[in-house]
Amino acid sequence: MSERLKVNICGVEFKNPVIPASGTYGYGREYESLYPLSKLGGISVKGTTLNPRQGNQGPRVAETPAGMLNSVGLQNGGVKKFLEYEMPNLLTKDIRIIANIAGASVEECAELASLIDPSEVDMVELNISCPNVKQGGAAFGTDCAVAAAVTAAVRKELPHKPLMVKLSPNVTSITDIAKSVEAAGADALSLINTLLGMRIDIRTRRPILKNNVGGLSGPAVFPVAVRMVWQVANAVKVPIVGMGGIATWEDAVEMMMAGASAVQVGAAIFADPYAPVKIVDGLEQYCIDNSIANISEIVGTVQPW
Amino acid sequence: MSERLKVNICGVEFKNPVIPASGTYGYGREYESLYPLSKLGGISVKGTTLNPRQGNQGPRVAETPAGMLNSVGLQNGGVKKFLEYEMPNLLTKDIRIIANIAGASVEECAELASLIDPSEVDMVELNISCPNVKQGGAAFGTDCAVAAAVTAAVRKELPHKPLMVKLSPNVTSITDIAKSVEAAGADALSLINTLLGMRIDIRTRRPILKNNVGGLSGPAVFPVAVRMVWQVANAVKVPIVGMGGIATWEDAVEMMMAGASAVQVGAAIFADPYAPVKIVDGLEQYCIDNSIANISEIVGTVQPW
Amino acid sequence: MYKQGKYIIAEKKAIAKGVFDLTVSCPEIAALAEAGQFAQVAADGFFLRRPISICDIDKERGTIRLVFEVRGKGTEKLSDLQKGGLIDIIAPLGNGFTVVEGGKAVCVGGGIGTPPMLGIAKKYGENAQVISGFRTAGIAILQDDFAAAGCQTTLCTDDGTAGVHGFVTAPLEERLKSDKPDIVYACGPMPMLKGIANLCKQYGVKCEVSLEQRMACGVGACLVCVCRTVRDGEQILSHVCKDGPVFDGEEVDFT
Amino acid sequence: MYKQGKYIIAEKKAIAKGVFDLTVSCPEIAALAEAGQFAQVAADGFFLRRPISICDIDKERGTIRLVFEVRGKGTEKLSDLQKGGLIDIIAPLGNGFTVVEGGKAVCVGGGIGTPPMLGIAKKYGENAQVISGFRTAGIAILQDDFAAAGCQTTLCTDDGTAGVHGFVTAPLEERLKSDKPDIVYACGPMPMLKGIANLCKQYGVKCEVSLEQRMACGVGACLVCVCRTVRDGEQILSHVCKDGPVFDGEEVDFT
Ligand SMILES: Cc1cc2nc3c(=O)[nH]c(=O)nc-3n(C[C@H](O)[C@H](O)[C@H](O)COP(=O)(O)OP(=O)(O)OC[C@H]3O[C@@H](n4cnc5c(N)ncnc54)[C@H](O)[C@@H]3O)c2cc1C
Ligand SMILES: Cc1cc2nc3c(=O)[nH]c(=O)nc-3n(C[C@H](O)[C@H](O)[C@H](O)COP(=O)(O)OP(=O)(O)OC[C@H]3O[C@@H](n4cnc5c(N)ncnc54)[C@H](O)[C@@H]3O)c2cc1C
Ligand SMILES: Cc1cc2nc3c(=O)[nH]c(=O)nc-3n(C[C@H](O)[C@H](O)[C@H](O)COP(=O)(O)O)c2cc1C
Ligand SMILES: Cc1cc2nc3c(=O)[nH]c(=O)nc-3n(C[C@H](O)[C@H](O)[C@H](O)COP(=O)(O)O)c2cc1C
Ligand code: FES
Ligand code: FES
């Protein structure tokens, strides 16, 4: 791997800035049939909760123009299984590990953090923006005071790890939330989570998702994500990991120019499981073609009119 | 025209529920080369301000996956020109006329209303959600108290016309805004206006839009629009005109099942200028095929899980 | 183990109104594939891939067959694919059917649930009875293929326009009574699968059903494709793409 | 007056690297079209149409020609269109060039600004001088077409690989000095148009330039396609699709 793509996000060095987004890549096991995980900079694992969760009933996915809705609802085996079963495997893969955590209460988030702090994960991503769960989830991410409180509580229980907080796009002012969370101790921010959406089957007159509503992701949301990353980058000092609709290396470059130090790739993987690898290769070639010694040079370089 | 498609929105009868969305159809003149305006239920004219406005510098459009950003910024000839030049023409077209108005202050909105009240427009659509202007615009539509104040002020100056208020999707809770606006006297609500987005030209490292950011519309936003219409329909009693990404008659049916009494069609017209007419024809056939005597029967019929 | 790629369509046939049969030349996939697995097929202009069962596998020619019905806009797009053109698939995915070596099987397909029965029926040849149900005679498919494989075929139509008038469960029950097979395979609408699973349980015959659910990744990573199952008495949400699409009939929660 | 429809591609040629020449059979559009107007062309899989100038019109055959360069993903998609296939266009749009009956014209095209010059140059035949500028000889296009129409052609290349070494403004100024034409038409990059408009003003010759801007509707309804113009001393934002694409050189605010 070349020096060109190395990025450093609050002290954690990633060999390249391409990270599969939480919930879209499991724990990486499923894609090893196609390529080794070591090709990627990091992995943000499926959202982890204190106890195992079954998630919502199906259908949990609905197609939309250039995107999809999901209503998984944080199905996962709980933090214990993650630490005991998934971590040992991931540690052999030469890839940065981001533990994505979500809790139904401030206390639960803090407890999760305290359990993960002693582990070998490289970074924690606190999800305060899941639209698919009844408690916690987006409720945490749409109010500045609550977002700050949960960030502070987790920060306290996480003395050894950088804390990245994942923001919801379903807000009037994402910069206000970002600033609150930064002030409460977040070391980095990641955005965006999914936009709340709905689809209806006109034959049955029922919502396609059993949960009625779900989170929109995929290329459709890309312009919203770029805008939010740009706004937040201009409002905070901490690094940003940008995501939402990234499907090509050009998208990744655009997101980084908007202000993201690294990118996560989610739904695009379902259309093309090689998408993250193609983005890595595309970024490398882009750096060569444009004589860019390190991709970090382009971060936040968009020059507004 | 058949009885099947007639809809009534707060006392105004539309021969069918298909209305080109404000800003995407001018005053109808440009599309008469293709078909008579009388085929459509109504027209929501380009946003009208007190004084003529030049709008923003170009480029004002950027393509996005299954959609587009615009940053027109309410270019229009002002209310006087609308009433004196456009109204006489529109009145000959056998189509319901919705005057879309926007002001930089509460007073300006009220003044606009008072000027339009004596005219022959069928309905006023108060735009409190334009993301492309510095004053007024979205600032009105993202705060409940402000939204209520401007609605009340306009309501007062509009004794003879139904008032529809057009909501912004760039908010944490669209139902809160909807309820405030309803309480302040809105006779109907229309939603959604555009989602704020951004695109960057990675070669020049500059935003594609000269305004840096712009409003996202087109099929990409459809699931967000359906969700918001559904939420608002469950929160208010006044009728809703739904829009955001509608491109086909199936989309129109879905939006109506979510709770819209009529629909507006915007960006889809740019891809297919016949789109609104095809939607009318499709709805008619849908009613025939499903033995629906009047399309209003499907409004709000989605049955949540 | 699966692959993703664009592969050449070696043959395309319309085998009934709105039903298409593609033979895809993909040696690396054919080599791995087992009866009952499926492919995630990209439809141009649509974000999500469409899951389509692998109907038949020719390991020697290095081909698989995908038989699908036009149901909506995505499968309509797939129907535009032409012989000689490319098809973008991820395959083989999921778990195939369990083969009872030297045993006797009954394969029950309902409508477009029939195609996945071909590959497994072929494993049994004359030891397979294939019961296929269709709404009407005009849309009956693959009967010649089953016959060519030496299988015994029983055709049922809901409207009696061909074969047995009525549902597949009647001939299945007859068979379960008369000459117990070692295993029953089934694919089709949920009520049919439920009926079959119940019958098999009643007669004490092992039964495997192939389920459907809306999918995104198709490989087990995104967790969207849940179905309700029971394991060790406990209700759990399983994933059709990874834990299935083939499930033990007793494991599925049909309520 | 314009039409929208899917029309048959009667011919397709690659006329330089990445430059394609489509002849579209659309009698109703050809009947209405004038030199300088444009078409809004749908590119499969892309939301917005691409504006492409009408390069030439054959009213008898009922065809128009669209010559375009692959610039991004949309025009790349358009380059996949094949002879015999359909192209979805809205046309003719905008205002064409003003024809000075019996006059003499100079038509100046820069790069992919050359195609719109063909239709208008043909109106003047031997009374037209066509000055075309390209980066390099290999990408020079349409020179034979201009010659076949009897026009006098002057080819310029930035790198001197063919014709005059340098920009189109040099031969234009020569001509303006020596044998004043009645009108100058120009299409190409903004700096070139600015230079030409200035020269024409200096020599007191009427000049029409064809501008570009990103578009949505193409018909004047959405107001996105603004350019800065001056009318009666006042700065106003005009719309390329409706007020243009052809503007009087003096009207354009090039600052
Ligand atoms: C494991 C498996 C195997 C299948 N095998 C076959 C087969 O061999 N032949 C065949 O004709 N069909 C098969 N199906 C069903 C087939 O996937 C659907 O008919 C198809 O996805 C419909 O797509 P569409 O675009 O036409 O419909 P649309 O309704 O427009 O599709 C919208 C979305 O819903 C999904 N969807 C709709 N119906 C289904 C469904 N029944 N199952 C899963 N997703 C659905 C689509 O994939 C798409 O994401 C199988 C499904 C599964 C899960
Ligand atoms: C009136 C008019 C006439 C034109 N005539 C021709 C012609 O005859 N031959 C030719 O090759 N080109 C012509 N162009 C330019 C052509 O429209 C662009 O090259 C083309 O739109 C680029 O599309 P793309 O998908 O390849 O690029 P992308 O950059 O991927 O396109 C993204 C978006 O930007 C728009 N866009 C990008 N560049 C331009 C541009 N220069 N002008 C307008 N929109 C642009 C696209 O239409 C699309 O909406 C004309 C433009 C205008 C406005
Ligand atoms: C199926 C699915 C499951 C997801 N699960 C999670 C999750 O568990 N935790 C989380 O923080 N985000 C989750 N997300 C959100 C993504 O991580 C990402 O923020 C979002 O999808 C936008 O990126 P994309 O457009 O590239 O998919 C999920 C998204 C999808 C599509
Ligand atoms: C080019 C353009 C101009 C618009 N101008 C206005 C406007 O003047 N007033 C207004 O209320 N909405 C305006 N809108 C928003 C549309 O009326 C509509 O709310 C939005 O585009 C969503 O619908 P769509 O996805 O069908 O386009 C404009 C939209 C576009 C694309
Ligand atoms: S479709 Fe992703 S887990 Fe099954
Ligand atoms: S492109 Fe719509 S007004 Fe010009």
Side-chain angles (χ1 to χ4, degrees):
Chain A
M1 265 296 153
S2 87
E3 290 295 312
R4 284 197 185 84
L5 297 187
K6 270 193 191 154
V7 296
N8 186 305
I9 298 165
C10 39
V12 181
E13 189 169 87
F14 291 73
K15 69 168 87 73
N16 65 57
V18 182
I19 305 165
S22 176
T24 65
Y25 210 73
Y27 305 90
R29 294 177 186 271
E30 288 78 15
Y31 290 103
E32 287 193 293
S33 288
L34 298 182
Y35 48 83
L37 293 185
S38 60
K39 292 228 170 205
L40 306 177
I43 175 174
S44 176
V45 303
K46 176 65 199 169
T48 303
T49 51
L50 200 53
N51 299 309
R53 278 180 63 94
Q54 292 258 28
N56 296 317
Q57 294 291 328
R60 291 178 175 180
V61 63
E63 194 177 44
T64 72
M68 57 173 273
L69 298 173
N70 90 80
S71 57
V72 171
L74 290 181
Q75 179 170 26
N76 79 101
V79 65
K80 193 154 175 283
K81 182 162 178 212
F82 167 63
L83 292 174
E84 289 173 10
Y85 173 70
E86 299 295 353
M87 273 302 288
N89 179 53
L90 280 171
L91 284 169
T92 67
K93 302 296 177 187
D94 183 23
I95 188 170
R96 292 297 178 194
I97 306 164
I98 302 175
N100 181 286
I101 61 169
S105 64
V106 174
E107 294 70 36
E108 208 174 298
C109 291
E111 190 177 344
L112 266 164
S114 70
L115 291 171
I116 286 175
D117 192 59
S119 77
E120 292 184 80
V121 306
D122 294 293
M123 195 184 262
V124 170
E125 182 177 51
L126 172 63
N127 177 3
I128 57 166
S129 47
C130 182
N132 291 321
V133 293
K134 293 236 155 50
Q135 290 163 310
F140 283 164
T142 54
D143 180 286
C144 290
V146 181
V150 62
T151 302
V154 168
R155 176 66 291 173
K156 199 159 146 264
E157 299 300 329
L158 208 63
H160 303 101
K161 306 285 180 213
L163 170 61
M164 177 155 80
V165 178
K166 183 162 175 182
L167 307 182
S168 167
N170 300 297
V171 294
T172 306
S173 170
I174 194 154
T175 52
D176 287 348
I177 307 275
K179 284 187 278 189
S180 305
V181 162
E182 180 186 40
D187 304 301
L189 300 175
S190 61
L191 59 147
I192 59 174
N193 210 313
T194 54
L195 280 158
L196 201 61
M198 182 184 200
R199 290 303 307 265
I200 297 166
D201 182 333
I202 64 171
R203 280 164 306 177
T204 61
R205 300 191 182 184
R206 305 222 66 164
I208 289 177
L209 300 175
K210 199 68 172 253
N211 192 46
N212 298 322
V213 296
L216 178 65
S217 63
V221 309
F222 182 64
V224 175
V226 171
R227 182 264 295 182
M228 289 187 164
V229 165
W230 181 66
Q231 288 181 324
V232 171
N234 285 306
V236 301
K237 293 205 177 56
V238 296
I240 294 168
V241 174
M243 78 195 83
I246 293 172
T248 65
W249 68 263
E250 289 97 330
D251 297 340
V253 168
E254 189 168 337
M255 190 64 93
M256 294 182 81
M257 286 182 177
S261 298
V263 297
Q264 290 186 16
V265 182
I269 297 170
F270 308 149
D272 178 3
Y274 284 101
V277 179
K278 288 181 185 166
I279 293 173
V280 172
D281 294 344
L283 289 178
E284 174 94 33
Q285 192 59 46
Y286 168 78
C287 287
I288 294 169
D289 293 346
N290 292 277
S291 312
I292 293 170
N294 183 276
I295 191 75
S296 300
E297 291 169 22
I298 72 166
V299 175
T301 54
V302 64
Q303 205 191 323
W305 295 103
Chain B
M1 263 298 152
S2 88
E3 291 295 311
R4 283 198 183 84
L5 297 188
K6 270 193 191 156
V7 297
N8 187 307
I9 298 165
C10 39
V12 181
E13 189 169 87
F14 290 74
K15 70 168 85 73
N16 66 58
V18 181
I19 304 165
S22 177
T24 65
Y25 209 74
Y27 305 89
R29 294 178 186 271
E30 288 77 15
Y31 290 104
E32 286 192 293
S33 288
L34 299 181
Y35 48 85
L37 293 185
S38 60
K39 292 230 171 202
L40 306 177
I43 174 172
S44 176
V45 303
K46 175 65 197 168
T48 303
T49 52
L50 201 53
N51 300 308
R53 276 180 64 95
Q54 292 257 31
N56 296 317
Q57 294 292 329
R60 290 178 174 179
V61 64
E63 195 177 43
T64 72
M68 57 173 273
L69 299 173
N70 90 80
S71 57
V72 171
L74 289 181
Q75 178 170 28
N76 79 103
V79 65
K80 195 155 173 282
K81 182 164 176 208
F82 167 62
L83 292 175
E84 289 173 10
Y85 172 70
E86 299 295 352
M87 273 303 288
N89 179 55
L90 280 171
L91 284 169
T92 67
K93 302 297 177 188
D94 183 25
I95 187 170
R96 291 297 178 194
I97 306 164
I98 303 175
N100 181 285
I101 62 169
S105 64
V106 174
E107 295 70 35
E108 208 175 297
C109 291
E111 192 178 344
L112 266 166
S114 70
L115 292 171
I116 286 174
D117 192 59
S119 77
E120 291 184 79
V121 307
D122 294 293
M123 194 184 262
V124 170
E125 182 176 51
L126 172 64
N127 177 4
I128 57 167
S129 46
C130 181
N132 291 321
V133 292
K134 294 236 153 53
Q135 290 163 309
F140 284 164
T142 54
D143 180 285
C144 290
V146 180
V150 62
T151 302
V154 168
R155 175 67 290 171
K156 195 156 149 266
E157 300 299 331
L158 209 63
H160 303 100
K161 307 284 180 216
L163 171 61
M164 177 154 83
V165 179
K166 183 163 175 181
L167 307 183
S168 168
N170 301 296
V171 294
T172 306
S173 168
I174 195 156
T175 52
D176 287 348
I177 307 275
K179 284 188 276 190
S180 305
V181 162
E182 180 186 42
D187 304 301
L189 300 175
S190 61
L191 58 150
I192 59 174
N193 209 315
T194 53
L195 280 158
L196 201 59
M198 184 184 198
R199 289 305 306 266
I200 297 166
D201 182 332
I202 63 172
R203 279 164 306 177
T204 61
R205 300 191 182 184
R206 306 225 59 167
I208 288 177
L209 300 174
K210 200 67 173 252
N211 193 47
N212 298 323
V213 296
L216 179 65
S217 62
V221 308
F222 183 63
V224 174
V226 171
R227 181 266 294 184
M228 289 188 164
V229 165
W230 181 67
Q231 288 180 324
V232 171
N234 285 308
V236 301
K237 295 205 175 56
V238 295
I240 294 168
V241 174
M243 79 195 83
I246 294 172
T248 65
W249 68 263
E250 290 97 331
D251 297 340
V253 168
E254 187 168 336
M255 190 63 93
M256 294 181 81
M257 286 181 176
S261 298
V263 298
Q264 290 186 17
V265 182
I269 298 170
F270 309 149
D272 178 4
Y274 284 101
V277 179
K278 287 182 186 164
I279 293 173
V280 172
D281 293 346
L283 289 177
E284 174 94 33
Q285 192 59 47
Y286 168 78
C287 287
I288 294 170
D289 293 347
N290 293 277
S291 312
I292 292 170
N294 182 277
I295 190 75
S296 301
E297 290 169 22
I298 72 167
V299 175
T301 53
V302 64
Q303 207 191 320
W305 295 104
Chain C
M1 194 61 183
Y2 62 87
K3 302 282 176 185
Q4 181 268 334
K6 292 185 183 175
Y7 300 95
I8 291 181
I9 299 169
E11 266 174 71
K12 178 190 178 181
K13 281 188 287 190
I15 59 173
K17 190 162 177 294
V19 182
F20 296 88
D21 178 348
L22 302 180
T23 303
V24 181
S25 185
C26 48
E28 50 182 19
I29 289 173
L32 296 166
E34 286 171 27
Q37 291 186 294
F38 69 100
Q40 274 282 67
V41 184
D44 201 36
F46 293 85
F47 189 66
L48 295 176
R49 289 169 180 265
R50 268 56 183 169
I52 304 291
S53 296
I54 296 174
C55 164
D56 197 8
I57 308 155
D58 187 329
K59 303 231 177 215
E60 276 177 27
R61 281 178 64 210
T63 60
I64 62 168
R65 270 169 78 186
L66 302 173
V67 173
F68 65 93
E69 184 179 33
V70 173
R71 278 284 179 83
K73 295 188 178 176
T75 44
E76 192 182 319
K77 194 78 198 179
L78 291 181
S79 72
D80 289 343
L81 290 169
Q82 296 303 337
K83 178 175 168 166
L86 295 173
I87 185 169
D88 179 344
I89 59 179
I90 308 177
L93 300 174
N95 300 310
F97 294 109
T98 312
V99 180
V100 180
E101 296 297 341
K104 283 183 290 181
V106 179
C107 305
V108 193
I112 199 64
T114 306
M117 290 301 126
L118 182 57
I120 187 67
K122 278 192 171 179
K123 292 267 176 207
Y124 293 88
E126 57 188 18
N127 287 323
Q129 179 188 0
V130 179
I131 307 178
S132 322
F134 298 96
R135 248 187 11 269
T136 185
I139 57 169
I141 51 169
L142 300 177
Q143 298 305 300
D144 294 349
D145 294 80
F146 289 116
C151 311
Q152 192 184 325
T153 62
T154 311
L155 176 64
C156 307
T157 54
D158 298 356
D159 65 358
T161 45
V164 183
H165 188 164
F167 296 136
V168 292
T169 32
L172 174 64
E173 184 158 18
E174 257 173 55
R175 170 65 190 271
L176 291 174
K177 270 187 199 156
S178 58
D179 171 23
K180 248 192 197 177
D182 296 289
I183 189 161
V184 171
Y185 304 103
C187 184
M190 279 304 258
M192 177 190 114
L193 297 185
K194 183 177 177 176
I196 291 168
N198 283 344
L199 275 179
C200 290
K201 193 170 179 182
Q202 187 183 325
Y203 289 93
V205 175
K206 181 174 166 64
C207 161
E208 288 188 340
V209 297
S210 179
L211 301 187
E212 292 190 2
Q213 181 53 287
R214 290 174 187 253
M215 293 186 177
C217 72
V219 302
C222 74
L223 310 185
V224 303
C225 60
V226 277
C227 62
R228 286 178 297 139
T229 56
V230 185
R231 259 179 218 161
D232 310 325
E234 212 189 331
Q235 284 232 352
I236 59 166
L237 292 174
S238 294
H239 296 99
V240 171
C241 76
K242 199 180 183 182
D243 305 315
V246 173
F247 289 89
D248 191 301
E250 298 215 15
E251 206 183 3
V252 179
D253 177 0
F254 284 107
T255 54
Chain D
M1 195 60 183
Y2 62 87
K3 304 279 176 188
Q4 182 269 333
K6 292 185 182 176
Y7 301 95
I8 290 181
I9 299 169
E11 269 172 69
K12 177 189 177 182
K13 282 187 288 191
I15 58 173
K17 188 159 178 296
V19 182
F20 297 87
D21 179 348
L22 302 180
T23 302
V24 181
S25 187
C26 49
E28 51 183 19
I29 288 173
L32 296 166
E34 285 170 28
Q37 290 186 295
F38 70 100
Q40 274 282 69
V41 184
D44 201 37
F46 293 84
F47 189 66
L48 295 176
R49 290 169 179 263
R50 268 57 182 167
I52 304 291
S53 296
I54 296 175
C55 164
D56 198 7
I57 308 154
D58 188 330
K59 303 235 175 210
E60 277 178 26
R61 281 178 64 210
T63 59
I64 62 169
R65 271 170 75 185
L66 302 172
V67 173
F68 65 92
E69 185 180 32
V70 173
R71 280 282 181 84
K73 294 189 177 174
T75 45
E76 191 182 321
K77 193 78 198 177
L78 292 181
S79 73
D80 289 344
L81 290 169
Q82 296 301 339
K83 179 173 168 167
L86 295 173
I87 184 169
D88 180 344
I89 59 179
I90 308 178
L93 300 173
N95 300 310
F97 294 109
T98 312
V99 180
V100 180
E101 295 298 340
K104 284 182 290 182
V106 179
C107 306
V108 192
I112 199 65
T114 306
M117 290 301 126
L118 182 58
I120 187 65
K122 277 191 170 179
K123 292 268 174 203
Y124 293 88
E126 57 188 20
N127 287 322
Q129 180 189 358
V130 179
I131 307 176
S132 322
F134 298 95
R135 244 183 18 264
T136 186
I139 57 169
I141 51 169
L142 300 178
Q143 298 304 300
D144 294 349
D145 294 78
F146 289 116
C151 312
Q152 195 186 323
T153 61
T154 310
L155 176 63
C156 308
T157 53
D158 299 357
D159 65 357
T161 44
V164 183
H165 187 162
F167 296 135
V168 290
T169 33
L172 173 63
E173 183 159 16
E174 254 172 59
R175 171 66 189 273
L176 291 174
K177 269 186 200 160
S178 59
D179 171 26
K180 247 190 197 175
D182 297 290
I183 189 162
V184 170
Y185 305 104
C187 185
M190 280 305 256
M192 177 189 113
L193 297 185
K194 183 178 177 179
I196 291 169
N198 283 343
L199 274 179
C200 289
K201 192 170 178 186
Q202 187 183 326
Y203 288 92
V205 174
K206 183 175 164 65
C207 160
E208 288 189 340
V209 297
S210 179
L211 302 187
E212 291 190 2
Q213 180 54 285
R214 290 174 187 254
M215 293 185 178
C217 72
V219 302
C222 74
L223 309 185
V224 302
C225 60
V226 278
C227 61
R228 286 178 298 140
T229 57
V230 184
R231 256 176 219 165
D232 308 327
E234 212 190 332
Q235 283 233 351
I236 58 166
L237 291 175
S238 293
H239 295 99
V240 172
C241 76
K242 201 181 182 183
D243 305 316
V246 174
F247 290 89
D248 191 301
E250 298 213 15
E251 209 184 0
V252 179
D253 177 359
F254 284 108
T255 56

